[in-house]
């Protein structure tokens, strides 16, 4: 069984506010014990920013959307680590497919 591991989590553009933001998190995830990674993207936002977005569009449908009450890098990191713990598989392809249910990839899928 292959266990995925979060190798690095970057914030594409850090938020200006702790309670009103929408940021993209870039997660480098690979097999535990190996150096190789694939890059996955999560969207982290607050209800306040989500309401602002909904004023300008009728709906939000986005894979990888995580809604939190305030910005906290460590909490976001733990959430993503918890998600990928559930994504084990027999092959890396299976692991990657499982992770992709929760986010976008560097290739858009």
């Amino acid at each position: 069984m292959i266990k995925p591991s979060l190798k690095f989590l970057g914030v594409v553009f850090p938020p200006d506010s702790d309670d009103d933001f929408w940021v993209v998190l870039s997660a480098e995830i690979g097999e535990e014990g190996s150096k190789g990674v694939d890059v996955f993207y999560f969207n982290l936002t607050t209800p306040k920013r989500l309401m602002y977005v909904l004023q300008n569009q009728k709906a939000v449908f986005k894979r990888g959307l995580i809604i939190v009450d305030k910005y906290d890098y460590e909490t976001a990191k733990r959430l993503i680590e918890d998600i990928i713990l559930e994504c084990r598989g027999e092959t890396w392809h299976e692991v990657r497919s499982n992770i992709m249910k929760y986010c976008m990839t560097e290739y858009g899928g």
Side-chain angles (χ1 to χ4, degrees):
M1 183 72 61
I2 294 175
K3 181 179 176 186
S5 174
L6 180 63
K7 309 287 184 165
F8 176 77
L9 182 64
V11 182
V12 177
F13 294 105
D16 293 332
S17 167
D18 283 348
D19 70 342
D20 183 10
F21 65 87
W22 187 304
V23 296
V24 177
L25 302 175
S26 173
E28 295 181 8
I29 301 171
E31 183 177 346
E32 188 174 76
S34 76
K35 292 183 181 183
V37 296
D38 282 334
V39 179
F40 300 89
Y41 298 99
F42 294 85
N43 291 275
L44 187 69
T45 193
T46 58
K48 190 174 187 178
R49 178 57 58 103
L50 188 56
M51 291 306 296
Y52 173 79
V53 170
L54 286 170
Q55 289 174 355
N56 296 305
Q57 55 192 65
K58 299 289 183 201
V60 174
F61 180 76
K62 193 160 214 43
R63 187 172 13 141
L65 182 60
I66 301 170
I67 303 168
V68 295
D69 62 341
K70 65 179 180 169
Y71 181 76
D72 181 350
Y73 176 85
E74 291 302 321
T75 298
K77 184 177 176 185
R78 279 193 305 278
L79 286 167
I80 292 170
E81 288 172 334
D82 289 346
I83 289 168
I84 66 173
L85 278 177
E86 303 297 322
C87 297
R88 297 177 188 194
E90 295 299 322
T91 65
W92 179 250
H93 178 75
E94 183 179 344
V95 170
R96 189 176 186 283
S97 294
N98 291 338
I99 296 170
M100 286 174 50
K101 294 173 187 173
Y102 299 97
C103 61
M104 301 296 289
T105 70
E106 60 190 317
Y107 304 109

